[in-house]
Amino acid sequence: TEYYNLFVIGDESFNDGCFLIEKERALTISEGISTEISEQFAALTPESISAIKTFPSLFASENHQYGRTDPDQLAFFGMVTDIKIQENGIKIYFQKFCSIPQQRLNELMFNLAIKGKPSFNELNRTHWAIKRINLIEELKMAGISVLAPT
C-alpha cells in the first residue's frame, strides 16, 4: 500500500481487460513521477513488474474538461494483472474492482499526488505514473470505499 499506479488514457472505456500505453508516456519523470520511483520501476524488469502488480491502481480516462469532468465520467479502482512490453507500446492487463466518480479524484488531486506543476492536473493527460501514496487509506479518508460496499 506504499505505492499506487495511476493510468490515464484518452477515450478508454476499460472494458477489454487490457490497454496499450506509449513507452514515452510510461513511468518517466516528465509524466509526474519522482526520479527515485522512475529509477526503481521504469526499466520494467521482471522484479519491478512483480512489484507493480501488487500495487492498487486507478484507471482513468482523460478529463472531459480541462481540470474537471462531468458527473457521469467514471474511473476505476483495480489491480494490474500482467504487463507485456511490445514494439508498439506497453500492454497493461488489469482487473477492475469498483468504479469511482472521476470528479471525486479531481477534488482529491492534492491528497492523491496528481497535481503537477504549477496547477497541472494529471487526469488531463494520457500517461502512466506510480505514486508513493497509500491510495486505499486516502480514498477511505475521503469517504470512498474500494474494498467493501459503501
Side-chain angles (χ1 to χ4, degrees), residues 12-104:
E12 181 64 53
S13 63
F14 297 107
N15 289 328
D16 296 329
C18 65
F19 58 90
L20 199 64
I21 190 151
E22 295 175 30
K23 293 176 184 177
E24 300 79 34
R25 293 191 177 205
L27 305 177
T28 64
I29 297 166
S30 63
E31 297 298 347
I33 69 172
S34 70
T35 302
E36 175 190 345
I37 292 173
S38 180
E39 289 172 354
Q40 189 173 357
F41 299 109
L44 294 175
T45 64
E47 296 78 21
S48 64
I49 289 172
S50 290
I52 289 166
K53 290 173 15 180
T54 69
F55 304 158
S57 301
L58 287 176
F59 303 96
S61 297
E62 289 181 0
N63 280 327
H64 291 165
Q65 302 163 22
Y66 192 81
R68 54 189 302 273
T69 191
D70 40 67
D72 61 341
Q73 186 174 358
L74 297 176
F76 300 94
F77 174 86
M79 298 292 288
V80 171
T81 58
D82 205 1
I83 298 171
K84 302 287 185 195
I85 302 164
Q86 302 180 167
E87 185 67 31
N88 61 341
I90 302 167
K91 196 168 201 176
I92 307 295
Y93 295 83
F94 66 97
Q95 176 68 48
K96 296 185 293 190
F97 297 147
C98 65
S99 62
I100 301 169
Q102 187 157 316
Q103 185 54 34
R104 286 291 286 137

Side-chain angles (χ1 to χ4, degrees), residues 108-120:
L108 297 169
M109 69 179 174
F110 178 77
N111 293 4
L112 300 177
I114 58 175
K115 182 180 183 202
K117 302 179 253 181
S119 61
F120 180 73

